[in-house]
Amino acid sequence: MKKTKFIILGLLVAIYFMTLGVLLRFSDKSTCPKFAIDSVNVSIDGENVGVAKGPDYLRDFDGVRLHKGERLVLSFALPSTENMFIPAIEYMTDECAYEVKVDNTVIERKYFDREERNAYITSAHSIISLPLDCAGGEEVTITLETTSNRVGNPISDIVVGNRLDLLKQFVFSNSLPLFLGLFLIVYGAIFLVISLILYGWVDGLKSNLLASCICMDLGLFLHAYYGCSSLYMNTDYIKPMMYTTLTLILPLSVMFTFEVSKGFLYEKRKYITIAFGAIFALLNMLHYSGMLTFNNSKWILYIALFTCLTGIVVKNIIDTKMNILDEHQAVEMIGMVTLCVLMYLSAFINMLTKGAYNDVSTVILYVGGNQVSIGALLFAYFQMVNFYVNVTGAYARTREFESLAYLAYADGLTGLYNRSKLNQQLEEWEADEENYCIISFDLNGLKTVNDNYGHNAGDELLKVFGKALKDVYESYDAMVGRVGGDEFMVIIRKVGTDEVEQSLRMLDAKLEVINTVKEVPWSYSTSYGYGFRVECSEDFIHQTYLLADQRMYEAKKEHHTRYHIKPR
């Protein structure tokens, strides 16, 4: 029943985040006007190409390709900025330096120094404030200089509007990956910490550790891919972070798959993991050393990613047919396969639409354009369910073990340790050759109480005395146990004769207090004797116990003589 409630709660959380993303996506209620620039004048290296229409400003010119170092100039008349508190222009560039002018006045210039040094230039989402005195009609010129030969357009839609509204629109249009990415990062971090804490206690948590890392990696990838990272980090690091997190998925997903499923190709897991790990390391090394940027090596990444995702899906199909996955492993692999399939679907739609799906204003295509987001959420959900099942199962097993251990080593009536547990502890001390003391107790009057008041009264006598013993010796390095009907034993170390005598006086005083306030017709007293290991020459545990027992019986005999009690 609890597992069902948890699954339902997880589904509600997933639905909540998806609904929140959809509502935010279609709840742009800005009052200020925004203008998407539909047409621009285009020139390349000073040669006028003509008028192009957005969003892909070069698609109207067949055969037009940009080469490294060429300058693409887009110019248009600024629409009316009336009612715009802070007029601004928004666009995204891809691996190119850019400069923005308003009536020949430069208002933004970026990355040209890197282009001159042949350094890597990342993608950049920009919202640039325009001069406050702009009213409309001014000529806006955007100059782009590419850093590599390219076929695609280096700039996205150009939008003019109020700065705050543009920022809100950016958040709204990317709400699903923004919130899901944040959820995945926080979820992964929390469950990584929990898994590390429980790692030595719960079996099978290595896959949860890897799943937590995958979730954080996917969250960072979503933020970088959709540009959400620009809200909290320098845009220079966004595209490198996107490719780094994407390459990191390779070794993480392979390690996760082989950790969960030990069937097909398991014997080759080391070689496969090393191969994909080497691809991750190589691509990042080449990029950050400046030898080969991610943009120029992405075909290697795409081939590796395709191979990795295909291999995971095929392996899961084969392992399922071989029937080697248990219930927990099946749940984990459903999440991984779902993620792989939706990443395939995302790549397929992206190739068909060339990114245009981000502007489709229908819920179906909106959700369809976020396959990786949804796949990551479902992956996290299935891992959460499995984690819950693992932890609750381990907790139940631990409670069962503790219960069995209690039955094996505890006295059922008093809750004190039994003889087996005391002997086990003595053997550990004996292995360390530590000096210890055994105190043997015999509770006086148990037979009389049983005969005159019944066994329930005798049980009460035993429990009260056992509690008194435990209270006295809880401040010592000692263990208290019941070893027979009316016989108790305390084993204690790191004490001398004076400390033992003091503890016995404390016990006598405590029993006197109990006798003073008691509401029962019997009294509490005990006879005791003790012996130290150092008093024996061999077979230390047995001889020390016999010594303590002998002294206890001598004290018992004195008690019987003093109170004229006939020996049993």
Side-chain angles (χ1 to χ4, degrees):
M1 187 65 182
K2 290 183 178 180
K3 293 181 181 179
T4 303
K5 290 181 178 179
F6 185 83
I7 293 173
I8 293 174
L9 178 62
L11 287 173
L12 290 176
V13 170
I15 293 171
Y16 166 76
F17 275 100
M18 293 180 64
T19 304
L20 179 64
V22 172
L23 289 177
L24 287 176
R25 173 65 175 85
F26 300 109
S27 62
D28 182 13
K29 298 180 179 179
S30 57
T31 57
C32 297
K34 294 189 294 292
F35 301 96
I37 306 303
D38 294 327
S39 61
V40 296
N41 293 314
V42 179
S43 65
I44 298 178
D45 274 353
E47 180 182 349
N48 185 38
V49 179
V51 178
K53 295 181 179 180
D56 189 347
Y57 291 110
L58 294 183
R59 68 182 176 184
D60 293 335
F61 304 100
D62 293 335
V64 173
R65 297 293 183 267
L66 295 177
H67 299 89
K68 181 177 180 180
E70 287 185 333
R71 291 202 171 192
L72 172 68
V73 180
L74 309 176
S75 60
F76 58 91
L78 184 68
S80 174
T81 59
E82 186 179 359
N83 297 326
M84 295 183 188
F85 182 66
I86 303 178
I89 183 172
E90 178 189 26
Y91 56 85
M92 178 172 284
T93 57
D94 185 28
E95 296 189 357
C96 58
Y98 64 86
E99 178 186 78
V100 181
K101 292 182 181 180
V102 178
D103 282 345
N104 294 319
T105 301
V106 177
I107 62 172
E108 182 82 354
R109 181 180 173 86
K110 208 166 185 180
Y111 302 132
F112 280 95
D113 58 329
R114 295 190 184 184
E115 197 278 333
E116 293 170 359
R117 292 183 285 108
N118 201 29
Y120 177 71
I121 300 177
T122 184
S123 299
H125 171 256
S126 303
I127 299 179
I128 302 168
S129 297
L130 298 172
L132 296 178
D133 57 358
C134 289
E138 294 86 354
E139 183 182 33
V140 178
T141 304
I142 301 177
T143 302
L144 307 168
E145 185 165 327
T146 62
T147 58
S148 60
N149 297 332
R150 61 183 302 122
V151 175
N153 193 359
I155 187 169
S156 66
D157 271 351
I158 302 172
V159 180
V160 175
N162 185 51
R163 182 180 180 86
L164 180 59
D165 290 334
L166 293 176
L167 182 60
K168 285 169 56 181
Q169 175 64 29
F170 176 75
V171 174
F172 291 149
S173 61
N174 295 287
S175 51
L176 183 59
L178 173 64
F179 285 96
L180 287 187
L182 181 62
F183 166 76
L184 289 169
I185 294 169
V186 174
Y187 162 84
I190 291 175
F191 274 81
L192 178 64
V193 172
I194 295 175
S195 299
L196 287 172
I197 293 173
L198 301 179
Y199 189 76
W201 179 59
V202 180
D203 294 331
L205 280 189
K206 187 174 180 180
S207 63
N208 290 98
L209 289 173
L210 293 168
S212 300
C213 294
I214 291 174
C215 286
M216 289 189 292
D217 185 71
L218 288 171
L220 292 171
F221 168 75
L222 290 176
H223 277 190
Y225 181 76
Y226 288 95
C228 305
S229 314
S230 62
L231 297 174
Y232 57 82
M233 68 184 297
N234 192 313
T235 56
D236 292 353
Y237 306 115
I238 293 178
K239 195 162 186 178
M241 184 174 81
M242 182 186 78
Y243 280 113
T244 298
T245 52
L246 190 58
T247 55
L248 186 57
I249 289 176
L250 294 171
L252 286 178
S253 59
V254 169
M255 287 190 291
F256 174 84
T257 301
F258 281 118
E259 180 61 31
V260 173
S261 178
K262 298 177 173 59
F264 181 60
L265 292 178
Y266 185 72
E267 300 79 8
K268 309 290 185 180
R269 66 189 185 281
K270 291 183 179 179
Y271 304 107
I272 297 173
T273 303
I274 291 173
F276 283 106
I279 293 173
F280 160 75
L282 178 64
L283 291 179
N284 282 271
M285 182 189 69
L286 291 174
H287 172 80
Y288 291 108
S289 66
M291 298 173 63
L292 188 65
T293 65
F294 281 130
N295 195 55
N296 294 323
S297 63
K298 59 186 178 184
W299 62 272
I300 303 176
L301 171 60
Y302 292 157
I303 293 174
L305 195 61
F306 176 81
T307 304
C308 178
L309 298 180
T310 303
I312 290 173
V313 174
V314 171
K315 173 176 168 54
N316 184 72
I317 293 173
I318 294 175
D319 289 346
T320 302
K321 288 184 177 180
M322 293 171 62
N323 198 27
I324 63 173
L325 298 176
D326 61 24
E327 180 182 1
H328 303 300
Q329 294 169 339
V331 170
E332 290 184 286
M333 288 310 300
I334 287 174
M336 175 55 72
V337 171
T338 301
L339 175 62
C340 293
V341 171
L342 288 176
M343 289 181 74
Y344 271 134
L345 184 60
S346 176
F348 178 71
I349 292 179
N350 196 28
M351 285 188 295
L352 289 181
T353 62
K354 297 181 180 179
Y357 62 83
N358 287 326
D359 300 314
V360 178
S361 58
T362 66
V363 175
I364 296 176
L365 287 182
Y366 167 68
V367 174
N370 289 275
Q371 300 83 11
V372 178
S373 301
I374 298 170
L377 178 63
L378 291 175
F379 174 79
Y381 167 71
F382 282 111
Q383 304 315 311
M384 186 188 301
V385 170
N386 183 70
F387 182 85
Y388 173 79
V389 172
N390 266 350
V391 172
T392 52
Y395 179 73
R397 290 191 296 272
T398 301
R399 290 294 300 271
E400 182 180 4
F401 175 79
E402 290 175 348
S403 177
L404 292 174
Y406 176 81
L407 293 175
Y409 294 116
D411 175 61
L413 179 63
T414 62
L416 301 176
Y417 293 114
N418 59 18
R419 183 186 292 275
S420 296
K421 182 63 177 178
L422 295 176
N423 285 340
Q424 183 185 72
Q425 187 61 60
L426 284 171
E427 288 174 1
E428 291 181 11
W429 289 352
E430 185 62 38
D432 296 333
E433 298 186 351
E434 291 190 64
N435 186 32
Y436 51 81
C437 175
I438 298 178
I439 310 175
S440 182
F441 296 89
D442 188 279
L443 182 58
N444 296 324
L446 176 61
K447 185 177 184 304
T448 302
V449 172
N450 281 335
D451 292 344
N452 295 333
Y453 304 104
H455 286 278
N456 287 338
D459 290 345
E460 182 65 20
L461 177 67
L462 290 167
K463 288 190 285 188
V464 171
F465 178 72
K467 186 178 184 306
L469 266 182
K470 188 174 181 180
D471 291 344
V472 168
Y473 287 98
E474 66 181 357
S475 60
Y476 292 86
D477 188 0
M479 294 183 71
V480 181
R482 180 184 175 210
V483 296
D486 57 0
E487 297 178 4
F488 293 78
M489 187 166 71
V490 172
I491 58 175
I492 185 171
R493 63 177 178 173
K494 299 179 181 178
V495 293
T497 302
D498 292 341
E499 289 87 354
V500 172
E501 290 289 348
Q502 181 184 9
S503 70
L504 294 172
R505 288 193 295 270
M506 290 171 59
L507 176 63
D508 289 337
K510 190 172 187 64
L511 294 178
E512 287 181 11
V513 172
I514 294 174
N515 287 329
T516 302
V517 300
K518 66 184 175 65
E519 298 178 354
V520 291
W522 59 83
S523 297
Y524 296 89
S525 65
T526 182
S527 300
Y528 44 76
Y530 59 87
F532 285 90
R533 178 184 185 276
V534 294
E535 296 180 87
C536 305
S537 58
E538 59 182 1
D539 196 8
F540 295 103
I541 295 177
H542 182 63
Q543 292 299 326
T544 305
Y545 174 74
L546 290 179
L547 181 61
D549 220 33
Q550 178 185 349
R551 291 170 178 172
M552 181 273 292
Y553 279 113
E554 290 174 357
K556 187 82 170 178
K557 185 176 179 180
E558 291 180 7
H559 174 79
H560 288 168
T561 302
R562 184 184 308 162
Y563 295 100
H564 308 289
I565 300 173
K566 293 182 180 180
R568 285 182 286 176

